[in-house]
């Protein structure tokens, strides 16, 4: 079945760039998403990319998609302490009703 | 625009008791989702409604979990009887059609 994998933890210095990586299995996914979850909160949609694109930029966020390798990454430029959170990658299941398959999340820690 | 509302935010019960969660989606959103997020994992879809009809409940433990969406707007998710392994955050999300999902803050359930 479909599976989404992420590294569990990333630590960066404030002001540096962060790169969070994700691999997925469903090559027919239409959209791939990045969500952010802060402690005690729900999931906040950060950005998404359509499967026929290979890059999308939105202010400090850059999403790169390599369909051949089924690899998705999220780059956060000039990382701030407020970016500390868990970041979830998700793919929508092909043939379904927009069912999302989530990875386990990457915890980003930003230190001064 | 008001977001997805959920209540209660926290609930503590003993095993074998019953519990119900409520969700009010974003106005006009036809699709409503309930997810279960166990600590340290990504959300997993339990059930998906399109208006007031169920389109996917393949991962809902139907012997103890039930859900309904009254008049295609609000929804309730019930667990009866609860087990220890049901301890999790229950997230509700909504989307206009087969589109981006917007999440509520979640209900954290602890089963003792």
């Amino acid at each position: 079945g479909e599976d989404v994998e992420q590294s569990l933890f990333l630590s960066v210095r404030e002001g540096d760039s962060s790169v969070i990586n994700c691999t997925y299995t469903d090559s027919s996914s239409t959209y791939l998403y990045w969500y952010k979850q802060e402690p005690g909160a729900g999931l906040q949609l950060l950005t998404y990319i359509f499967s026929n694109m290979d890059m999308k930029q939105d202010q400090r966020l850059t999403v790169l998609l390599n369909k051949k390798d089924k690899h998705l990454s999220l780059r956060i430029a000039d990382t701030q302490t407020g970016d500390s959170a868990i970041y979830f990658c998700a793919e929508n299941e092909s043939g379904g009703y927009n069912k999302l398959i989530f990875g386990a999340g990457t915890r980003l820690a930003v230190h001064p | 625009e008001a977001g997805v509302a959920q209540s209660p935010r926290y609930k503590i019960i003993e095993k074998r008791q019953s519990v119900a969660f409520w969700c009010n989606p974003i106005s006009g959103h036809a699709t409503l989702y309930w997810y279960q997020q166990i600590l340290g994992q990504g959300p997993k879809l339990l059930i998906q409604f399109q208006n007031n009809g169920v389109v996917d409940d393949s991962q809902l433990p139907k012997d103890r979990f039930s859900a309904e969406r009254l008049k295609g707007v609000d929804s309730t998710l019930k667990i009866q009887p609860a087990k220890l392994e049901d301890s999790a955050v229950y997230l509700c999300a909504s989307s206009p059609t087969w589109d981006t999902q917007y999440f509520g803050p979640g209900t954290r359930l602890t089963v003792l």
Side-chain angles (χ1 to χ4, degrees):
Chain A
E2 295 82 8
D3 195 18
V4 176
E5 295 195 356
Q6 304 177 237
S7 53
L8 294 182
F9 188 75
L10 177 66
S11 178
V12 299
R13 191 188 305 272
E14 191 174 12
D16 287 351
S17 292
S18 307
V19 180
I20 302 171
N21 294 301
C22 167
T23 57
Y24 61 97
T25 56
D26 189 348
S27 58
S28 300
S29 290
T30 309
Y31 291 96
L32 295 135
Y33 298 85
W34 284 104
Y35 282 87
K36 175 184 180 182
Q37 187 175 39
E38 296 181 83
L43 274 70
Q44 172 196 353
L45 176 67
L46 280 180
T47 187
Y48 62 93
I49 188 167
F50 191 50
S51 58
N52 69 351
M53 299 170 65
D54 51 21
M55 187 182 91
K56 179 179 180 181
Q57 188 152 4
D58 185 0
Q59 299 183 335
R60 292 191 298 124
L61 305 179
T62 303
V63 179
L64 295 178
L65 174 60
N66 181 329
K67 286 196 71 176
K68 175 176 171 290
D69 295 337
K70 299 193 189 69
H71 182 267
L72 183 74
S73 68
L74 174 69
R75 179 177 180 269
I76 306 173
D78 187 25
T79 311
Q80 302 299 307
T81 55
D83 295 324
S84 294
I86 301 177
Y87 291 80
F88 291 94
C89 168
E91 62 174 352
N92 71 324
E93 185 185 67
S94 61
Y97 295 94
N98 200 34
K99 174 181 175 180
L100 293 184
I101 308 297
F102 284 88
T106 299
R107 182 178 294 276
L108 174 64
V110 183
H111 56 88
Chain B
E1 178 184 73
V4 176
Q6 291 188 246
S7 67
R9 291 296 313 278
Y10 306 92
K11 190 74 176 178
I12 300 174
I13 61 172
E14 294 188 348
K15 60 183 179 183
R16 292 187 289 273
Q17 287 188 321
S18 302
V19 65
F21 313 126
W22 174 81
C23 172
N24 183 240
I26 294 172
S27 177
H29 282 195
T31 312
L32 185 147
Y33 312 78
W34 282 103
Y35 287 85
Q36 180 192 58
Q37 185 179 18
I38 293 172
L39 186 65
Q41 299 181 16
K44 182 185 80 172
L45 180 70
L46 291 175
I47 188 166
Q48 178 181 346
F49 293 92
Q50 174 72 6
N51 296 309
N52 60 352
V54 175
V55 296
D56 187 348
D57 63 357
S58 57
Q59 297 193 79
L60 187 74
K62 298 181 187 63
D63 58 334
R64 298 184 299 106
F65 286 64
S66 64
E68 60 181 0
R69 189 177 185 194
L70 306 172
K71 300 179 183 177
V73 181
D74 291 9
S75 178
T76 56
L77 176 69
K78 296 179 182 177
I79 308 175
Q80 179 180 14
K83 292 185 175 182
L84 296 176
E85 59 260 36
D86 298 332
S87 293
V89 176
Y90 291 85
L91 295 164
C92 179
S94 69
S95 64
T97 52
W98 314 123
D99 207 324
T100 306
Q101 297 179 31
Y102 298 90
F103 284 79
T107 296
R108 182 177 297 275
L109 173 67
T110 302
V111 182
L112 302 176

